Amino acid sequence: YAGSFKDYIQQIITAVNAAGKNIILAKAPPYFASTARNDLVVQYNQVVDELITENALGYVAPDLYSYFIVNQSEYDVDGIHPNGIGYQSMARIWCQGLNGLLGLVCIP
């Protein structure tokens, strides 16, 4: 995997852990404007799951992808960015994902 996306993210995880910090990875939201690009997002999200498992990070990644696949109306017309409600949903999903991690209590 040398030089791959997975390798680069692993290097970041290793550096963050070496600094005594914790890292939280999330699954990226879909890219509706391009099927080819969205295929890369799917691959990215698979790597996120692999890295969480391989590094025993002990949490389930906040899943922005699955949420927005079901709630496409929360995307802007460009198919790339969430709309106002979509950004609120992203905050809620992150809040739910962080709740209880690192001693955090998140109130949605």
Side-chain angles (χ1 to χ4, degrees), residues 13-84:
I13 292 169
T14 301
V16 169
N17 287 338
K21 306 294 181 187
N22 295 303
I23 191 163
I24 309 296
L25 303 174
K27 292 184 183 181
Y31 195 92
F32 293 115
S34 164
T35 301
R37 245 170 145 186
N38 192 62
D39 290 344
L40 294 174
V41 173
V42 170
Q43 291 174 28
Y44 165 88
N45 288 336
Q46 291 170 340
V47 168
V48 166
D49 284 337
E50 291 171 11
L51 289 169
I52 288 171
T53 300
E54 291 168 10
N55 288 278
L57 296 178
Y59 61 84
V60 175
D63 191 353
L64 302 172
Y65 189 88
S66 294
Y67 178 82
F68 284 111
I69 287 293
V70 173
N71 297 283
Q72 292 183 27
S73 65
E74 294 184 23
Y75 252 68
D76 200 357
V77 294
D78 66 3
I80 302 169
H81 302 96
N83 60 28

Side-chain angles (χ1 to χ4, degrees), residues 3-24:
S4 68
F5 170 75
K6 184 174 184 178
D7 179 49
Y8 292 135
I9 299 300
Q10 181 61 62
Q11 290 178 43
I12 293 168
I13 292 169
T14 301
V16 169
N17 287 338
K21 306 294 181 187
N22 295 303
I23 191 163
I24 309 296

